[in-house]
């Protein structure tokens, strides 16, 4: 399939947009009228730039408020169209988008509107131009693709067809059954956009909140599938109106756009494949077909970028959490800490990726490793989805672990069992003799949460959905004492890997401060699973681990909300353990540490009876407790003060 994007979808000047579109790998572009109006050059100059970049101008848009106008304005509207045809020929494009009229005095007469388009099509035919009629969801009279199709059929002219737009169709929950009646040769162009489901005015929704396929909640495969089955051979094109995209780096947005179209092709191909039809198989074979997502087995390890001093400080925390120093890397200044099924790595190797990450972000999570059943297939899929791979320097007999760059430049390693049965720790680390093994109270990594700049959330969601085949959970909006926090969890299909993605548009919240501290995305917390949270808390306290103090009022409220034994509530309060219960009777017990150097913190979590959530009801009290703890620390006099 060919891929196109409307210039309105990106930030920057027209030349900047075109350069980013070409760099991302698009085949063509829709020129939005305002981008041309603001361009310091002629239409021929714009065409020359596109030619030099290898881009085809596939559509000029929009031509507004043409049909059904006052009869004394009809000739004027046809003359306006002729001027646009002149401009199009300078651009070198033969397709124009005419959107349905939004004028309050539009004449509500299909026969009259059809006659207007017949006249326009006759003029277009003399220029070898195709006119595409598109229904705006807020069109004054014509506001659905089915109505447009009725008019196009009535005109029955080879130079008039329909333009289908997913947003204008799916935003009004339009009936998709008529899509099967529209032959591919009558579809002049196809525009695609996703969106979050929102209860608001459809025009405001459209103008500010569209997003790329895979970032929203529309069922785009059900829209695209019938169109392809009916023989549409034109490009898949993105038309995105989004406030965040207009402010985001142009090249990053363009790269996301192409990835989103590949993702839509894959999901549509899978949907078509599941419908047993010979013609469907022919169509689906033309769509993007990467290796399917691999199976995941959890988080293999988390790797922290540190220097020698930060390594000692963080190692002390690991020790208090019950981790043992179990390995020293054979050729690098890298240490392994283990407990149960959890592996944590401190990387203080100079002249390395981790060192560069530390210089940029301070003590931080520079890499996460996912257990997979086939690392080669996982890496191939990532590369086909335009992700950058990474190869680290390895010593003799050490294992090269495939890795993918995450959107923030950190690494995500793909670790499979290996062919010789040896683990990566066997091949890369010299074991450290343990003094006296401790009971493994922490058994795995339940999840790890990232704090993100607000404008990057959609990029991360698309990355996890497309590259790894993860699913997304619904968005949580949570109160911080200084604003609101939004959280969206991405997870592997079996739930073995879960990554909450947290943002805040308020600059004084904990997430905003974290982003500022890291100078970008960064680890917010790691949640360790346990089978006995009270034993884990007791051991951590005895070791001197600073746990977050929860106000007594929280436990008084627990007694009012849940039918819990008073002795159990007292036990929770004494250990600063929080409690939640879902509607199905699943239960969560969890406790937090104080933050490590005001960067990230740790959570110990115990799930019961199929509890699948993350204690969202307790996030406000956690955020308030952290804010109060931070205020207490800031109010303490410095050790050297009188």
């Amino acid at each position: 399939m060919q891929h196109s994007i409307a210039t309105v979808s990106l930030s920057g000047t027209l030349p900047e947009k075109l350069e980013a579109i070409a760099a991302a790998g698009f085949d063509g572009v829709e020129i939005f009228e305002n981008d041309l109006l603001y361009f310091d050059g002629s239409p021929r100059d714009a065409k020359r730039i596109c030619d030099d970049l290898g881009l085809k101008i596939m559509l000029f848009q929009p031509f507004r408020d043409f049909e059904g106008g006052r009869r004394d304005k009809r000739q004027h509207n046809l003359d306006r169209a002729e001027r646009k045809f002149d401009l199009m020929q300078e651009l070198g494009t033969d397709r124009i988008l005419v959107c349905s009229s939004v004028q309050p005095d539009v004449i509500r007469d299909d026969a009259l509107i059809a006659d207007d388009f017949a006249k326009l099509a006759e003029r277009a035919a003399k220029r070898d131009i195709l006119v595409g009629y598109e229904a705006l969801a807020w069109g004054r009279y014509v506001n659905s693709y089915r109505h447009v199709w009725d008019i196009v059929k009535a005109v029955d002219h080879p130079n008039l067809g329909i333009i289908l737009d997913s947003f204008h169709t799916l935003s009004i929950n339009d009936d998709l059954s008529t899509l099967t009646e529209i032959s591919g040769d009558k579809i002049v162009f196809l525009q695609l956009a996703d969106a979050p489901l929102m209860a608001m005015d459809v025009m405001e929704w459209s103008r500010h909140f569209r997003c790329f396929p895979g970032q929203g909640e529309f069922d785009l495969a059900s829209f695209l599938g019938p169109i392809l089955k009916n023989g549409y051979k034109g490009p898949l094109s993105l038309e995105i109106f989004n406030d965040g995209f207009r402010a985001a780096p142009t090249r990053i947005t363009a790269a996301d756009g192409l990835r989103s179209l590949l993702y839509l092709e894959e999901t549509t191909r899978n949907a078509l494949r599941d419908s047993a039809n010979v013609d469907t198989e022919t169509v689906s074979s033309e769509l993007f077909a990467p290796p399917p997502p691999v199976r995941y087995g959890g988080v293999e390890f988390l790797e922290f970028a540190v220097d020698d001093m930060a390594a000692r400080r963080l190692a002390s925390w690991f020790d208090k959490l019950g981790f043992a120093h179990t390995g020293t890397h054979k050729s690098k200044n890298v240490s392994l800490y283990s407990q149960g099924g959890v592996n944590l790595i401190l990387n203080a190797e100079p002249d390395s990726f981790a060192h560069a990450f530390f210089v940029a972000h301070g003590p931080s999570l520079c890499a996460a490793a996912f257990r997979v059943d086939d690392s080669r297939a996982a890496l191939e899929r990532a590369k086909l989805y335009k992700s950058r791979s990474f190869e680290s320097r390895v010593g003799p007999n050490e294992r090269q672990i495939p890795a993918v760059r995450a959107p923030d430049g950190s690494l995500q390693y793909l670790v499979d069992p290996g062919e010789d049965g040896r683990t990566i720790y066997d091949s890369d680390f010299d074991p450290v003799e343990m003094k006296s093994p401790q009971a493994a109270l922490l058994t795995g990594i339940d999840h790890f949460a990232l704090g993100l700049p607000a404008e990057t959330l959609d990029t991360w969601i698309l990355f996890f959905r497309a590259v790894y085949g993860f699913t997304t959970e619904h968005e949580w909006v949570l109160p911080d004492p200084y604003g609101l926090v939004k959280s969206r969890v991405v997870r592997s299909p079996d739930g073995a890997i879960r990554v909450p993605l947290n943002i805040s548009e308020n600059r004084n919240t904990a997430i905003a401060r974290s982003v500022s501290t890291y100078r970008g995305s960064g680890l917010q917390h790691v949640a360790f699973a346990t089978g006995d949270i009270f034993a884990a808390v007791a051991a951590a306290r005895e070791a001197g681990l600073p746990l977050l103090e929860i106000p007594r009022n929280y436990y008084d409220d627990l007694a009012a909300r849940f039918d819990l034994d008073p002795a159990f509530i007292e036990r929770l309060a004494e250990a600063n353990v929080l409690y939640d219960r879902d509607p199905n009777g699943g239960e969560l017990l969890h406790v937090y540490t104080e933050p490590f150097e005001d960067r990230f913190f740790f959570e110990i979590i115990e799930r019961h009876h199929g509890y699948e959530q993350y204690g969202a009801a307790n996030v406000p009290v956690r955020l308030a407790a952290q804010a109060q703890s931070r205020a207490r620390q800031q109010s303490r006099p410095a050790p050297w003060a009188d």
Side-chain angles (χ1 to χ4, degrees), residues 304-377:
F304 294 82
V306 291
D307 62 6
D308 287 333
M309 292 182 62
R312 287 193 292 271
R313 297 194 302 270
L314 191 50
S316 173
W317 278 60
F318 291 170
D319 180 66
K320 293 171 183 176
L321 280 161
F323 287 88
H325 183 198
T326 56
T328 300
H329 200 278
K330 292 180 177 179
S331 63
K332 302 171 185 174
N333 187 7
V334 177
S335 300
L336 171 66
Y337 293 80
S338 304
Q339 179 180 183
V342 186
N343 297 292
L344 305 177
I345 290 174
L346 296 178
N347 191 333
E349 176 70 5
D351 190 26
S352 67
F353 168 82
H355 177 70
F357 206 87
F358 174 81
V359 170
H361 305 288
S364 52
L365 184 72
C366 64
F370 302 150
R371 295 189 196 107
V372 299
D373 65 341
D374 188 339
S375 62
R376 292 179 182 176

Side-chain angles (χ1 to χ4, degrees), residues 541-559:
R541 276 182 167 171
E542 184 177 354
L545 184 70
L547 297 177
L548 185 67
E549 295 182 10
I550 303 301
R552 178 68 207 192
N553 291 337
Y554 167 80
Y555 298 99
D556 293 339
D557 184 61
L558 272 188

Side-chain angles (χ1 to χ4, degrees), residues 87-154:
L87 182 152
M88 290 170 60
Q89 291 188 318
E90 290 188 55
L91 287 173
T93 187
D94 63 351
R95 284 168 167 76
I96 186 171
L97 181 153
V98 179
C99 53
S100 58
S101 177
V102 297
Q103 293 302 310
D105 60 352
V106 65
I107 300 172
R108 298 169 178 267
D109 184 327
D110 282 12
L112 181 145
I113 289 173
D115 187 59
D116 285 347
F117 272 108
K119 292 289 190 295
L120 183 63
E122 289 171 5
R123 295 197 175 203
K126 297 175 183 178
R127 306 283 198 104
D128 292 323
I129 285 173
L130 291 177
V131 174
Y133 186 22
E134 176 192 67
L136 295 179
W138 54 91
R140 183 67 65 165
Y141 174 53
V142 176
N143 59 14
S144 77
Y145 83 92
R146 290 176 290 113
H147 198 168
V148 165
W149 179 232
D150 287 341
I151 292 169
V152 169
K153 286 189 296 182

Side-chain angles (χ1 to χ4, degrees), residues 6-83:
T7 54
V8 73
S9 308
L10 306 173
S11 66
T13 64
L14 182 59
E16 289 172 337
K17 295 181 181 190
L18 296 175
E19 289 166 5
I21 290 167
F26 283 92
D27 303 294
V29 61
E30 300 177 38
I31 298 292
F32 191 69
E33 183 178 48
N34 285 357
D35 284 308
L36 194 61
L37 289 176
Y38 307 150
F39 173 52
D40 185 19
S42 69
R44 291 186 187 275
D45 292 332
K47 180 181 185 301
R48 190 177 304 112
I49 294 172
C50 289
D51 289 343
D52 291 343
L53 293 170
L55 292 173
K56 180 181 179 182
I57 299 177
M58 294 178 166
L59 180 77
F60 175 74
Q61 63 122 330
F63 186 54
R64 304 177 186 274
D65 299 324
F66 166 74
E67 84 284 14
R70 286 167 40 189
R71 294 300 84 189
D72 60 341
K73 295 288 186 181
R74 184 182 190 185
Q75 185 59 46
H76 171 70
N77 284 336
L78 290 170
D79 291 342
R80 280 199 301 125
E82 290 283 4
R83 288 194 291 274

Side-chain angles (χ1 to χ4, degrees), residues 115-365:
D115 187 59
D116 285 347
F117 272 108
K119 292 289 190 295
L120 183 63
E122 289 171 5
R123 295 197 175 203
K126 297 175 183 178
R127 306 283 198 104
D128 292 323
I129 285 173
L130 291 177
V131 174
Y133 186 22
E134 176 192 67
L136 295 179
W138 54 91
R140 183 67 65 165
Y141 174 53
V142 176
N143 59 14
S144 77
Y145 83 92
R146 290 176 290 113
H147 198 168
V148 165
W149 179 232
D150 287 341
I151 292 169
V152 169
K153 286 189 296 182
V155 176
D156 191 22
H157 193 288
N159 288 77
L160 176 69
I162 187 172
I163 289 181
L164 294 170
D165 183 302
S166 63
F167 182 87
H168 292 300
T169 299
L170 299 176
S171 65
I172 61 172
N173 294 314
D174 207 355
D175 181 1
L176 301 184
S177 62
T178 304
L179 288 175
T180 60
E181 302 174 9
I182 306 174
S183 61
D185 60 354
K186 293 302 291 183
I187 302 173
V188 173
F189 210 68
L190 179 61
Q191 294 179 320
L192 299 161
D194 205 341
L197 299 181
M198 306 179 78
M200 64 185 306
D201 175 76
V202 69
M203 185 166 69
E204 289 300 303
W205 187 14
S206 171
R207 290 297 182 222
H208 302 285
F209 298 102
R210 295 195 201 190
C211 55
F212 290 136
Q215 294 177 333
E217 298 172 85
F218 284 166
D219 182 4
L220 290 174
S222 67
F223 174 80
L224 180 58
I227 294 169
L228 297 180
K229 285 171 66 176
N230 278 13
Y232 176 73
K233 301 296 183 183
L236 307 182
S237 192
L238 297 165
E239 186 194 40
I240 312 296
F241 296 87
N242 183 292
D243 294 343
F245 289 5
R246 293 188 184 102
T250 312
R251 288 201 170 215
I252 293 175
T253 307
D256 281 351
L258 185 65
R259 178 179 284 161
S260 78
L261 287 178
L262 296 177
Y263 176 73
L264 177 57
E265 285 189 41
E266 183 189 16
T267 54
T268 303
R269 183 178 185 274
N270 292 340
L272 290 172
R273 183 194 58 206
D274 293 341
S275 61
N277 184 298
V278 176
D279 294 332
T280 292
E281 187 62 33
T282 302
V283 172
S284 64
S285 66
E286 300 173 356
L287 299 174
F288 180 62
V294 297
R295 291 193 296 273
Y296 298 94
V299 177
E300 179 63 47
F301 64 78
L302 296 177
E303 180 177 335
F304 294 82
V306 291
D307 62 6
D308 287 333
M309 292 182 62
R312 287 193 292 271
R313 297 194 302 270
L314 191 50
S316 173
W317 278 60
F318 291 170
D319 180 66
K320 293 171 183 176
L321 280 161
F323 287 88
H325 183 198
T326 56
T328 300
H329 200 278
K330 292 180 177 179
S331 63
K332 302 171 185 174
N333 187 7
V334 177
S335 300
L336 171 66
Y337 293 80
S338 304
Q339 179 180 183
V342 186
N343 297 292
L344 305 177
I345 290 174
L346 296 178
N347 191 333
E349 176 70 5
D351 190 26
S352 67
F353 168 82
H355 177 70
F357 206 87
F358 174 81
V359 170
H361 305 288
S364 52
L365 184 72

